[in-house]
Amino acid sequence: MAKRLKLAKENSERSPRKRATSYDVAELAGVSQSAVSRVFQDGASASKDMRDRVLSAANKLGYRPNAIARGLITQRSNMVAVVISRQTNLYYPEVLVQLTQRFSEHGIRVLLFTLDHERDIDGVLEQVLQYQVDGVVTAAILSEAQLETIENASIPVIFYNRTLPERLVNSVRCDQEEGERWLVGQLVAAGHKTFAIVSGPEDSSVSMERTRGALQKLKELNIKDVLIVNGDYGYASGRAAFAEIQQKMKTLPDAVIAANDVMAIGCVDEARETNYLRVPEDISIVGFDGVGPARYAAYDLSTVRQPVGRMSEAAVSMLIERIENPGLSPEKRVFSGDRILGGSAILADGEK
């Protein structure tokens, strides 16, 4: 008998303890269940005495409110999806931090969905819908069919640094073409005559806009000697692109325009370490984005910094407004980038 009692006690100790409910907390604290709900609800009124009693009881019982259950009641998951590409790009981690911090301030959690390439969006779209998120911020272009699928689920979407020119959508983006036109204008005014462009992935709308802006400005300034090579936004592809430029051009160009800072940094290292060139004395190199390493003394890139903070704040506020008021009309916000005169290029307005 004693042995059986001992085994029963051991099994009881090993069995999982029943999870405490708000009713258990209310009973221990001597308050109503609705009072417990108010204590754990942001912005709800509750006296200090009641709050202290409820929190003390909750801690003793190990109780925490069930966010999923609350979502069933409010018809809100308090989660949003953020879709970004995981191609090597130092710009997106900063974007993700900014978005996460701002959504957290509103009690909203971020579910991150990453893509190898923008064209892979169809593969994660069903996952996004299954989580029943309240909204989506996407740094990838959606097709008409994909966008219609999300809209049919009554989920608002904000395009981040992308837009659909011929469709009414909500978007927040940096003016890529304006930034590239400024860089080209500075380079040509400083005397550069031959150019090479290192573009990004073929399915990147941002890369296409930047390349288009640079080419349009070069054409306006009657610059015809331009070579375009492809990269993938990564550092290694920047080095490979610079080597390809050397192979394809009889003489080195006066300037290299990279579609982002990471590839520009790769070009700088390839120019210096493999070819023993001086930057910018022998060749000017510019980028785009304004990532942290671009400001290192070893690179000091001339670039256009995207206003990540302001763009992220706009994306968050626009999405929350449309979650709370689905009838709001579409809105497109465009931000100018910050122009940075670095030491990697000889520019008209710079000392180098």
Side-chain angles (χ1 to χ4, degrees), residues 84-100:
I84 63 175
S85 168
R86 62 185 176 195
Q87 290 167 328
T88 305
N89 194 334
L90 296 178
Y91 165 68
Y92 281 119
E94 183 180 356
V95 172
L96 183 58
V97 169
Q98 293 280 353
L99 289 174
T100 301

Side-chain angles (χ1 to χ4, degrees), residues 314-336:
V316 170
S317 64
M318 286 171 61
L319 187 58
I320 291 175
E321 288 170 359
R322 281 153 182 81
I323 291 172
E324 296 176 348
N325 185 358
L328 285 178
S329 59
E331 181 179 2
K332 296 182 179 182
R333 298 188 190 180
V334 182
F335 294 82
S336 293

Side-chain angles (χ1 to χ4, degrees), residues 194-199 211 215 218 224-230 241-251 253 255-257:
T194 58
F195 289 81
I197 296 175
V198 183
S199 65
T211 301
L215 288 173
L218 287 168
K224 300 177 181 178
D225 196 355
V226 182
L227 171 69
I228 301 176
V229 297
N230 295 320
F242 192 89
E244 184 179 350
I245 291 168
Q246 284 186 297
Q247 292 173 0
K248 291 185 174 180
M249 298 185 75
K250 294 180 180 179
T251 59
V256 174
I257 301 169

Side-chain angles (χ1 to χ4, degrees), residues 102-121:
R102 283 169 166 75
F103 277 122
S104 294
E105 292 170 0
H106 294 275
I108 297 174
R109 299 293 171 253
V110 169
L111 293 180
L112 175 63
F113 296 85
T114 58
L115 310 170
D116 287 326
H117 302 279
E118 286 196 36
R119 60 178 176 269
D120 299 331
I121 181 67

